[in-house]
Amino acid sequence: MEMGLPLFYAFSLLLNLASVAFAGDNSTPPCSSQFNTKCKPDSSGLHLTLYHPRNPHSPASISDVPISTILSHDEARVKSLAHRLSKIPSSRPTSLDHHLDMKSVSDPLTPGGSVGLGNYVTQVGIGTPAASYVMVVDTGSSLSWIQCRPCAVSCHAQVGTVFNPKSSTSYHSIPCSDNECTSLRSATLNPSACSSSNVCIYQASYGDSSFSLGYLSKDTLSFGSNFTFPNFTYGCGQDNEGLFGKSAGLIGLARNKLSLLSQVAPKLGYAFTYCLPTTKSTGYLSMGSYNPAGFSYTPLVSSSLDDALYFLKLAYISVAGKPIAVPASSYSSIPTIMDSGTVITRLQSDVYTALSKAFLAAMKGHKKVVAYSILDTCFEGKIASTTVPAVALVFDGGATMNLRPENIIISLNSAKLTCLAFAPATRVSIIGNTQQQTFKVVYDVAQKKIGFASGGCR
């Protein structure tokens, strides 16, 4: 990915700006509904409200964005994830060939997963006193970041005011010598830089050319009065450009040690659960302990490709109760990950072809039409849920997602077109959020397993 002149100018400015460190207390703000948090006196876990990005009642709704735009950016996300797992080196941007006052510029920039427009959002508190901000939630990212004043280069439009570090008594920047600065390479796949005032500079770049650039910082993260995390490490973004919707920033839930998950794990436990809602309701994200009842589990698979992502093994897919006609080896020929930000599930091409063929056979009487964007199994008009054949995703160990019609097909162009919500892939299979909607999904990293339960939300 070419960063080009905007990123070069951002680097040049940030390298010469002095970052002000603020000392302060870690006073705890009162429990408030502004964070959409259910405060639990036993501190057994925290629960945040999740909003579908196209829910018109979302605090950062993109309901006015055409579905074709979302699908095109979904494809950009998938391509960048495949690029990331293939470990294909990126060409070093020419803008970084200029002499910069950095401790490390020799390594090429590598794009992370594309944020795209398919991510769910929630609200968290940052600073002391705490203020609430709308944040993208992403299991495919590690470093969390938020747009910060003075927006030395650029900030995209967001809901509410941009975070001002000077207004927080608990904010401070991280020096270049800190271990967390040297850990940025594994968290963002990009090298860190160092400002003229010895402040660590992060660069989080994404496959769709979106990026955030700024100072690595610490501050108090709040989820109501029962859940405050002093010295939370995150990026204070001074140049944030691209497709982040109207959010203030991003929460990373991958397994890297700089992710939100890893930072809150010592207090809450190394697990999180979510239910991704449809456009018509709300869901939740819960950090920490959970009730294991009702879940069926599949092991998390170890992978040398990227130890921050959530790999699992898809055993087989059935349509109308019958496994699709594809060799078992096809399922494991490329890696499979769970991802909250990919909209449409991607399957190894042979597996997808077999699924499409079986689905078409079960949909006799419905007129097949030409492809729409990345979707090529499409039908004319709206389809009643009663005519949609049952589809099940069965994982290693027997964990099963019995998909509802809404998880299987999507209506497009004001219901003039209905398509199977799956697409082929060549390098990585991805279980996307359309298929995950309304399921309770637990990522129990401590026990190295992922669990599924139906009926978590609507």
Side-chain angles (χ1 to χ4, degrees), residues 149-456:
R149 291 182 182 175
C151 289
V153 181
S154 176
C155 280
H156 62 264
Q158 70 171 64
V159 174
T161 59
V162 175
F163 175 64
N164 185 357
K166 291 184 179 181
S167 68
S168 173
T169 60
S170 51
Y171 172 89
H172 61 92
S173 55
I174 294 176
C176 303
S177 59
D178 195 284
N179 288 334
E180 288 170 310
C181 187
T182 58
S183 297
L184 280 172
R185 157 64 85 172
S186 62
T188 65
L189 306 183
N190 292 324
S192 61
C194 193
S195 77
S196 57
S197 55
N198 195 38
V199 175
C200 182
I201 295 175
Y202 77 90
Q203 41 187 321
S205 54
Y206 305 97
D208 58 3
S209 297
S210 300
F211 63 86
S212 176
L213 173 69
Y215 300 116
L216 193 64
S217 308
K218 287 183 181 288
D219 208 335
T220 297
L221 176 71
S222 302
F223 305 99
S225 62
N226 281 10
F227 300 102
T228 59
F229 298 89
N231 295 314
F232 176 73
T233 300
Y234 68 103
C236 192
Q238 297 296 318
D239 188 12
N240 317 285
E241 302 181 36
L243 297 165
F244 304 112
K246 300 174 185 176
S247 67
L250 180 145
I251 290 174
L253 288 177
R255 289 189 279 178
N256 183 273
K257 64 182 180 181
L258 290 185
S259 74
L260 180 143
L261 170 64
S262 296
Q263 291 189 64
V264 304
K267 186 173 182 179
L268 297 177
Y270 208 0
F272 65 94
T273 309
Y274 61 56
C275 184
L276 305 181
T278 66
T279 59
K280 299 177 182 180
S281 63
T282 59
Y284 62 84
L285 167 67
S286 298
M287 305 297 298
S289 60
Y290 65 97
N291 183 350
F295 286 97
S296 60
Y297 297 94
T298 186
L300 274 171
V301 177
S302 298
S303 175
S304 60
L305 296 173
D306 191 327
D307 57 9
L309 298 178
Y310 296 99
F311 292 87
L312 69 174
K313 182 178 179 182
L314 183 60
Y316 68 91
I317 298 174
S318 67
V319 175
K322 296 180 179 180
I324 60 176
V326 65
S329 59
S330 295
Y331 291 102
S332 57
S333 61
I334 58 176
T336 300
I337 62 173
M338 287 285 292
D339 184 38
S340 65
T342 298
V343 178
I344 301 297
T345 285
R346 302 309 202 278
L347 299 172
Q348 190 267 0
S349 56
D350 291 343
V351 175
Y352 171 75
T353 298
L355 170 63
S356 176
K357 184 178 179 179
F359 190 79
L360 283 170
M363 292 289 288
K364 292 178 180 179
H366 293 278
K367 182 181 179 181
K368 188 177 184 297
V369 295
V370 296
Y372 182 92
S373 183
I374 60 174
L375 307 175
D376 65 9
T377 305
C378 298
F379 305 89
E380 188 176 70
K382 187 175 182 179
I383 295 176
S385 61
T386 54
T387 66
V388 178
V391 175
L393 307 181
V394 183
F395 299 90
D396 188 33
T400 302
M401 297 179 73
N402 290 306
L403 304 181
R404 301 184 309 128
E406 294 84 353
N407 303 122
I408 301 169
I409 58 173
I410 57 174
S411 295
L412 308 168
N413 294 337
S414 300
K416 294 180 181 179
L417 185 70
T418 300
C419 297
L420 179 66
F422 293 80
T426 56
R427 292 180 181 172
V428 57
S429 294
I430 304 173
I431 308 303
N433 60 40
T434 298
Q435 284 62 44
Q436 296 180 51
Q437 283 178 15
T438 74
F439 284 87
K440 289 187 289 185
V441 182
V442 59
Y443 294 71
D444 191 333
V445 181
Q447 297 297 319
K448 298 181 180 179
K449 60 185 180 180
I450 293 179
F452 307 100
S454 61

Side-chain angles (χ1 to χ4, degrees), residues 88-100:
I88 300 173
S90 295
S91 59
R92 178 175 162 187
T94 56
S95 60
L96 293 182
D97 289 333
H98 295 266
H99 175 70
L100 298 176

Side-chain angles (χ1 to χ4, degrees), residues 83-157:
H83 182 285
R84 174 175 167 179
L85 294 178
S86 299
K87 298 183 182 290
I88 300 173
S90 295
S91 59
R92 178 175 162 187
T94 56
S95 60
L96 293 182
D97 289 333
H98 295 266
H99 175 70
L100 298 176
D101 180 20
M102 294 190 297
K103 292 186 186 256
S104 172
V105 295
S106 59
D107 291 326
L109 290 174
T110 304
S114 166
V115 174
L117 294 171
N119 291 72
Y120 286 71
V121 298
T122 191
Q123 292 175 280
V124 302
I126 298 288
T128 304
S132 179
Y133 297 93
V134 178
M135 306 285 279
V136 163
V137 174
D138 189 14
T139 59
S141 299
S142 292
L143 182 69
S144 301
W145 58 265
I146 189 171
Q147 299 198 116
C148 286
R149 291 182 182 175
C151 289
V153 181
S154 176
C155 280
H156 62 264

